[in-house]
Amino acid sequence: MLIKDHVFPINHYLRILDGGIASKSLKVGGIILQCLFKFIGDSIGTTTPVFNKLIHLYISCHRPRFAHRIFRLIPIQQRKWESILCNKIIREYARHGPFQNAVDLYGEMLVDGVLSTKYTYPYVLKACSALQDVETGLKVHARVEKLNLKDDVFVCTALIDFYVKCGFLLMAQELFDEMPEKDTVTWNALISGVSLHGTCFEVIKLLSEMQHCGEKVNSSTLAAILPAIASECRLQEGKAIHGFGLRRCFHFDEVTATCLLDMYGKCGKLTYAMKIFEALHSKNEITWSAVIGACVTQNAIFEALDLFRRMMRYADLCPSPIMISTLLRGCAKLNCLNVGYQLHCYTMKLGLGSDLMVANTTLSLYAKCGSVRDAMRVLYGMQVIDSVSCSAIMSGCVQNGSADEALRIFRRMLFLGLKPELPTMMGFLPACSYLSALQHGVCGHAYCVVHGFTSDVSICNALVDMYSKCGNTDVARLVFDGISRKDVVSWNAMILGYGINGLGNEAISLFEAMNASSGGVKPDGVTFVALLSACSHSGLVAEGRRFFRAMAREFDVAPKTDHYFCMADLLGRTGFLSEARDLIGSMPFEPDAHMWNALLASCRIHRDVEMAEEVSGRILSAGPAGTGNFVLLHNLYTTAERWKDAAAVRVRQREMGFRKRPGCSWIEVSGTVHGFVGGRSGGYPPEIYAEVERLSREMKGLGYRAECGYVYQDVEEEEKEGTLLYHGEKLAVAFGVLRVGGDKRIVVSKNLRVCGDCHEAIKYVTVITKREISVRDTTRFHHFKDGVCNCGDFW
């Protein structure tokens, strides 16, 4: 182009820039700038008209940063009169970002003395609301009042929009009430804010007031109302709003139609949502995301995946991170790991692997589907990790029995300087529960109190569960009593806590208090599972029978598999084997292997080999649910010294691909959780084995004799005693005696049922050491003190 090598009049540059603005050509702007600096030099201040045109060019091309730089080249004496240019740059920042630049430019205006007008403030306020910059917004409000612009509808509407988006509904309402004149946009701004932060009825009340004032309702009004209706699943009100729009002949654009289908999806009417979606002539990425999200919300995961494939094939749209995250959540719901792998690969191809939301959802999928190793790979491959990342993988670790890994992730999170949020603590506290890590749990409780999380009932429920599963029901009850608004989960957690600690009568008393309370909380199916389980752990047969009968009659709760399981377990443990078998046979649905397993465990307790063989046959015909069925039958045969039958069970177990889970015991000492697996070759410090042997000698002096019936191998008695001596429970207790100072209680957790010989031995240890010992196995706590267990040997 000739202008590169020649100097032309300013008007020539202006004509070229007009053409550049018309064609939105950034290249023209660059050439003009080169010419200005090359040929004009020190007299650049005379080219302000060219700068004005350049600014318009960059704004038309959505390049506000370039326009801002050019604006700064204008001499300050001339710049102060260019408020229109400044407003346009602020508007472009407020629309497309960065929002902070809009606020910064407004500050430059004040410093440089550029005159701000009523067109300046709405866009500055829009940027403030996007940034949640309340401080600057309040200063803008003060300046508006100083300039006497508080009666301007345009400015006041922007202020209302700012306040509602920042959550200051009262201030927005006061400003709205003081306005002498309101238009539809003003009403929509307030309705949108109340819809975001208020209730459905408050929004509908505002709609009624708007109509009463004679203001016209438009489709944007309905789009502002529908999110509040959707969040509360108020289907009738949603249908009324839909009908209202149809009667008024509103044209439902993409935004309003998207809100409608989202509302129907969240209200459980997926068919209605699909009809609205199919009726739309034009569908954008947000519309597709909304309908896919509706399918996932209603657990129609395959329909969501079909829609996604259809979009990719016909709509020629690129999926957003929100859409991919929604589909990944759907795969997690369905526990569909294969489809999750495919989506993960697709996100990597799209270049979305580094997106924080997608990465968090991906690791959450792997964690919930039990693939903790894959989740860890995603975590360690993330460039940025936040509290959501850690919360997701911690929850997955706990769900899949890797609570110790969850605690390691929590420690790494603190090391990285990440602040645990409420969802993080909801993953941390169950990990403490699983491991009976009381010291970790107490620290977590203190953190929740300091940061105000205990005002949330879900955190309090998790604390009740944690203290109960750490064997401290007194503190659990204090937390429970401190909950101002107890829900059914609160009552269930405390009843279950009493049950697993062998406090059946306390559980029944609490249940009666629940029925007598004025909180309006009714017992549900989980309540009766906890209650019947408490009766089972305490041998309360009459009470268990009474509650089982009362479930359907008095509380309208139909007994399900879990309730029958608890009753069969209660009857079987107390010796009513025939009644337990008849109860299982009378169930209105086919009993599974878990149900028969409860009766098989009772047969082993009472050494009824004949019934055990009958039950074992039923388990095999139903399909073994796990190794526990084989282990129980094997142990029963070995107790009866039927070694060939026991060996046959082991062979059948191996042929069917079931492996015996190794026993492991945990103990927390000085904030560190230590694990112990039974055997002399565990590689633990020699002092632990020496302490076990010392305690064994003293126990024998008090009359202890090893119960060799708990060694399920055909070996000599002396070898059986050696095997029993180094069980994981005994090693953990010995470690606790050595390392837990003073007269503090020793708490051990185990991933299997506690061994009968260990149960007897620990009684003697409490007499020798004059200390309390608590052992939590897979079903309950055993609290030992002065040679007695609180289970009364009923377990």
Side-chain angles (χ1 to χ4, degrees), residues 506-528:
E506 286 81 351
I508 293 172
S509 298
L510 188 63
F511 174 75
E512 292 170 351
M514 178 184 182
N515 292 328
S517 69
S518 57
V521 179
K522 294 182 179 179
D524 60 7
V526 178
T527 312
F528 283 98

Side-chain angles (χ1 to χ4, degrees), residues 596-656:
W596 290 114
N597 190 55
L599 185 56
L600 183 61
S602 299
C603 291
R604 180 192 168 282
I605 293 171
H606 298 285
R607 303 190 178 185
D608 191 332
V609 178
E610 184 179 346
M611 184 178 288
E613 290 178 326
E614 176 191 343
V615 171
S616 177
R618 292 183 180 272
I619 290 173
L620 291 175
S621 62
T627 57
N629 312 305
F630 292 105
V631 171
L632 282 169
L633 190 60
H634 173 270
N635 294 350
L636 189 61
Y637 280 139
T638 54
T639 302
E641 296 186 356
R642 292 171 55 173
W643 305 111
K644 289 184 179 180
D645 292 328
V649 170
R650 280 281 187 251
V651 171
R652 194 184 312 157
Q653 177 183 343
R654 282 194 295 271
E655 288 175 349
M656 297 187 71

Side-chain angles (χ1 to χ4, degrees), residues 7 17 33 58 60 205 364 511 668:
V7 180
L17 282 169
L33 272 175
Y58 287 128
S60 67
K205 182 183 176 183
S364 178
F511 174 75
E668 183 191 35

